Amino acid sequence: MRITGGTVTAHGGYYAPGIGVGENSSGGTVEITGGTVAATGVRYGAGIGGGNSSTFTSISISGGTVTAFCDNGGACCASGIGSGYDGKGGTIRISGGVVKATGGGDYGAGIGAGDAGVSGFASGVAVEISGGFITAACGSAYAACIGSADYAACGTITISGGTINATVPPSAFRTIGKSAGSYNSCGAVTIAGGAVYSPLAKISPAPSNTASKAVFPIDFAIGEATNKVTAFTLSGAFADYAYGATDLCTDTNGTLRAWLPSTAGEAFVAGVTMAGGNTYYFSFGIDDGGAVSVRGFLVVNGQPVASNADNSGTGWSFAKSNGVVTISANADIQGLSTNGEFRIDVPADSGASSVSIKNLTLTGLSARYASAMAFGRDASLAISGSNVFAAAGQYAAGVEVASNAV
């Protein structure tokens, strides 16, 4: 079955899904690429997927607005999207669209497995999310928002993109993977992309990336609430790290949460560009236990400046020997450095006629005459955001202006 557009409202009969495979049946592929779809399964039937004791083949959602719900009718029940009671399935793939899935009653996952009558029942349901804006909810600690149900195990869960909000009350509920119940299990949880809004402790088993390295939640405090991310870049320790950035969105507090592995003491720089054009930069280090430390960084014309070696980019060059970033052309500068890693110099012979600074905190070296920033020629300086320029050494200005410069 394929839905490409229009409005579809589907309500299953007793023990049956809203859309999918009826009771004691097998087969069936559901593909949704567009439209507005509302599907309700009844009692032992999933909203989209399987009915009581049935097996669905696959479910694919790449577009549209999809709402799936299991109306349990007071009994143990099925998933919002996935298998029904005592049901099995193939893979649920979500690559786009706006999806809201709610498991039925106390025992069905929002996305994944429905409940079963036998402890450790293997549903075979696997979940792959590479895009889309997803809200998944479960009814109690017996089921996960995405993953297993009370008695039913689920397969692997792989997230490589999308924005995922897993809604649970503040108790022993689990968001992704194995539920807090004692009678189920879950395959590996892989997070290689996406904005996954969940505490680490609510995911079981602990997530890892495609290289089987543990990943940890890293929060970027952007300040633009529920806004889409148009570009997400990594450099430094993660210069070669591939992170899935399709359909990322900040939360209601304006925070973007990504999941990244340890940097083994090294620093990385992340650049986040929002719908509307603003770009924000952050630099952190992540230890092997997931503890995050803020690191100094400088970005000139959209290019991070590495502090551990001589390097250069468009309109700038850096000398490690003295920490000076020499500006040779018009420049946009952002960053945070409070330990003297960087100084900025616009020399008399620079080709820069304008320098734009936004959200820059810069403390110079604790050496005489070492200003945080020096202008040796006429240049227009445009400043926005919150900025601090401080000299740490004697006889130095925070911003030094030569006698022949304006």
Side-chain angles (χ1 to χ4, degrees):
M1 179 181 186
R2 186 180 189 192
I3 299 172
T4 61
T7 299
V8 178
T9 301
H11 195 285
Y14 213 53
Y15 288 11
I19 298 173
V21 183
E23 183 184 19
N24 292 316
S25 300
S26 62
T29 297
V30 177
E31 181 181 2
I32 301 172
T33 63
T36 300
V37 179
T40 303
V42 176
R43 198 160 183 173
Y44 292 174
I48 298 174
N52 180 52
S53 298
S54 68
T55 301
F56 73 87
T57 300
S58 67
I59 300 167
S60 174
I61 301 171
S62 59
T65 299
V66 179
T67 303
F69 170 66
C70 172
D71 181 1
N72 69 309
C76 41
C77 38
S79 62
I81 298 175
S83 59
Y85 182 80
D86 266 342
K88 296 183 179 182
T91 301
I92 302 165
R93 296 182 177 89
I94 302 175
S95 59
V98 177
V99 179
K100 181 177 181 180
T102 304
D106 290 337
Y107 304 105
I111 299 173
D115 194 19
V118 180
S119 177
F121 179 84
S123 73
V125 177
V127 180
E128 297 177 2
I129 299 173
S130 59
F133 302 92
I134 299 145
T135 300
C138 55
S140 80
Y142 296 111
C145 295
I146 300 174
S148 65
D150 183 24
Y151 273 49
C154 66
T156 58
I157 298 172
T158 303
I159 300 169
S160 59
T163 294
I164 299 168
N165 290 286
T167 305
V168 294
S171 64
F173 288 51
R174 293 267 173 77
T175 54
I176 299 172
K178 179 189 180 303
S179 78
S182 303
Y183 307 107
N184 64 79
S185 62
C186 181
V189 176
T190 300
I191 302 180
V196 182
Y197 294 103
S198 167
L200 176 60
K202 296 286 187 179
I203 301 176
S204 179
S208 60
N209 61 17
T210 54
S212 299
K213 293 183 177 179
V215 293
F216 308 97
I218 310 299
D219 288 343
F220 302 98
I222 291 166
E224 297 189 22
T226 56
N227 194 15
K228 293 182 180 180
V229 175
T230 58
F232 181 76
T233 61
L234 295 170
S235 58
F238 290 140
D240 298 319
Y241 193 81
Y243 192 81
T246 300
D247 291 339
L248 304 187
C249 185
T250 56
D251 66 9
T252 55
N253 296 315
T255 298
L256 175 69
R257 173 166 289 187
W259 293 73
L260 296 167
S262 167
T263 61
E266 298 296 321
F268 74 92
V269 176
V272 185
T273 302
M274 307 300 296
N278 291 328
T279 299
Y280 303 85
Y281 293 96
F282 306 85
S283 185
F284 299 116
I286 310 169
D287 71 15
D288 291 342
V292 178
S293 57
V294 177
R295 301 296 182 86
F297 71 100
L298 194 70
V299 176
V300 182
N301 291 333
Q303 301 165 305
V305 181
S307 62
N308 59 353
D310 292 352
N311 58 113
S312 61
T314 303
W316 61 270
S317 62
F318 173 73
K320 183 179 182 299
S321 59
N322 58 12
V324 173
V325 179
T326 301
I327 304 300
S328 58
N330 293 348
D332 294 308
I333 305 172
Q334 295 187 43
L336 169 66
S337 178
T338 59
N339 61 0
E341 283 181 305
F342 302 109
R343 296 169 58 207
I344 296 174
D345 182 31
V346 184
D349 60 353
S350 172
S353 59
S354 67
V355 176
S356 176
I357 291 173
K358 180 180 180 181
N359 297 328
L360 175 62
T361 295
L362 201 61
T363 301
L365 293 168
S366 57
R368 293 185 177 187
Y369 306 106
S371 58
M373 180 180 295
F375 282 84
R377 60 151 294 152
D378 291 350
S380 171
L381 178 61
I383 300 177
S384 62
S386 178
N387 302 272
V388 177
F389 311 108
Q394 292 180 323
Y395 315 127
V399 178
E400 180 183 338
V401 181
S403 59
N404 63 338
V406 177

